[in-house]
Amino acid sequence: STQSTGSSGINAEYGIEGNRNKKSTLMELNKPKSNVTVKLLQLGTMEQLPKKQNLLKSFDLIYLSSSQVSYFTPELTAILKDDSNLLIENIKYITPLTKDQEQGYSPKIKDMATKAKCEL
């Protein structure tokens, strides 16, 4: 799910969903779930995850900070379960940021989502 914040085209929330028709809302993501495991990864490990057979289709949710958005590749979607979410941090409140950088972020994310065959 995405929420627009105005004419800049920057979204307040990116919920990039792979291979599914149902759209999740932020409220649905906040519902308590049983058997939840949170895995915090060290920098540099994201690119190795899609190469591990035991991790294919094993994640319900992946959160990427704005500094880690370069890891959003078609290969990364291989570790997402069907009916999963990939959340990407918004850059709106990162300082200092030029208007050009702010305006270029949303199209960059949309292009990455298209290449990864995900829905925005």
Side-chain angles (χ1 to χ4, degrees), residues 6-103:
S7 61
S8 69
I10 301 299
N11 292 322
E13 170 196 346
Y14 283 98
I16 299 171
E17 306 164 82
N19 302 325
R20 68 186 191 140
N21 294 326
K22 181 181 176 257
K23 299 276 185 178
S24 293
T25 65
L26 190 55
M27 293 301 289
E28 288 173 333
L29 294 174
N30 288 331
K31 287 182 182 175
K33 296 181 173 51
S34 61
N35 302 323
V36 172
T37 302
V38 175
K39 296 180 183 184
L40 302 175
L41 303 174
Q42 295 177 356
L43 292 177
T45 58
M46 286 296 293
E47 58 196 14
Q48 300 302 318
L49 296 180
K51 297 175 185 174
K52 297 184 177 194
Q53 290 294 316
N54 63 325
L55 294 180
L56 297 179
K57 299 221 179 259
S58 63
F59 288 87
D60 294 304
L61 174 72
I62 294 177
Y63 172 83
L64 295 176
S65 68
S66 62
S67 64
Q68 300 296 309
V69 76
S70 62
Y71 292 114
F72 180 23
T73 63
E75 292 79 20
L76 180 66
T77 61
I79 64 173
L80 288 168
K81 289 182 180 178
D82 293 336
D83 200 28
S84 61
N85 291 286
L86 173 63
L87 300 178
I88 299 175
E89 179 183 31
N90 185 349
I91 62 166
K92 183 174 176 88
Y93 301 106
I94 296 175
T95 57
L97 199 63
T98 67
K99 281 285 188 194
D100 289 341
Q101 289 172 318
E102 186 177 329
Q103 291 175 346

